Amino acid sequence: MTPTQRHTPTPSAHEPAQSNVPPVMDVTAIQRWLRLGAQDLRRNPWPGLLHGVALVVVGWLLVGMAQDKFWLLAGAYSGFLIVGPVLVTSLYEVSRGQHYGYKVDLWDVVFVWLSFDKRLIGFGGLLALAGVGWVVSSAGLITAFAATPIHKPMDFMHHVVLAQQGYLFELWLLMGGL
């Protein structure tokens, strides 16, 4: 037994055990995050603005191309949920750089995406599996239980979301939450 081990107190059965649970965040944390994000945007606006513009343009292109093709829109939406968290890692790099006192330029942002970091690739792969699983299971549920075939977004609104009978929309939401 080393001297350090000999003098380290051990908790007794009467002492409360220390918890590894993080402290609960309060509502002011959200305000702090938004304030810090606004500071990041003011200090270095180009990466955030270009991300925003790119996402808007891609979104409008998808809506324009898949206007009345419900399943294509559903797949594109799920695809965004896959790509979005990976693309936002560059904004984390901007924030990290500002925290350490240097300004991140667009080449740094591109470098993050092209780094082929195994963690990022693994995370993207897991998101892809989750997205494909969601699209397939969602399509199966809607196809099997919708009163009429769903081909357009308005069909989904009328026959699933606003359906007078049954609980298909609620079941679909519940399945999405799992």
Side-chain angles (χ1 to χ4, degrees):
M1 187 180 284
T2 66
T4 307
Q5 289 173 327
R6 208 174 310 130
H7 297 293
T8 304
T10 56
S12 71
H14 302 291
E15 293 179 23
Q18 289 188 347
S19 174
N20 290 331
V21 177
V24 176
M25 296 276 184
D26 61 358
V27 177
T28 60
I30 297 170
Q31 295 168 338
R32 191 177 114 262
W33 297 334
L34 290 173
R35 189 175 59 253
L36 291 171
Q39 285 175 1
D40 285 353
L41 186 62
R42 278 193 302 275
R43 288 183 195 148
N44 194 2
W46 290 113
L49 292 177
L50 288 177
H51 274 79
V53 168
L55 290 176
V56 167
V57 168
V58 168
W60 281 112
L61 285 173
L62 287 172
V63 168
M65 290 182 338
Q67 221 167 20
D68 279 341
K69 298 170 186 78
F70 175 72
W71 296 111
L72 184 58
L73 279 174
Y77 176 73
S78 295
F80 171 75
L81 293 177
I82 294 167
V83 174
V86 174
L87 292 179
V88 81
T89 55
S90 57
L91 294 178
Y92 299 148
E93 177 66 16
V94 171
S95 186
R96 187 177 71 87
Q98 288 180 184
H99 176 76
Y100 288 111
Y102 62 90
K103 188 172 183 177
V104 175
D105 61 18
L106 291 177
W107 291 113
D108 295 322
V109 169
V110 171
F111 179 74
V112 169
W113 291 333
L114 298 179
S115 67
F116 298 108
D117 186 313
K118 290 179 185 176
R119 296 167 297 181
L120 200 55
I121 292 170
F123 182 57
L126 289 173
L127 288 173
L129 286 173
V132 168
W134 165 247
V135 169
V136 169
S137 60
S138 175
L141 178 76
I142 299 300
T143 301
F145 294 108
T148 60
I150 306 298
H151 298 291
K152 298 179 179 184
M154 289 311 291
D155 294 341
F156 183 78
M157 285 299 294
H158 290 156
H159 302 293
V160 177
V161 177
L162 301 174
Q164 296 293 322
Q165 297 174 346
Y167 296 98
L168 181 57
F169 181 63
E170 291 81 357
L171 182 60
W172 181 75
L173 288 176
L174 181 65
M175 187 176 77
L178 299 176

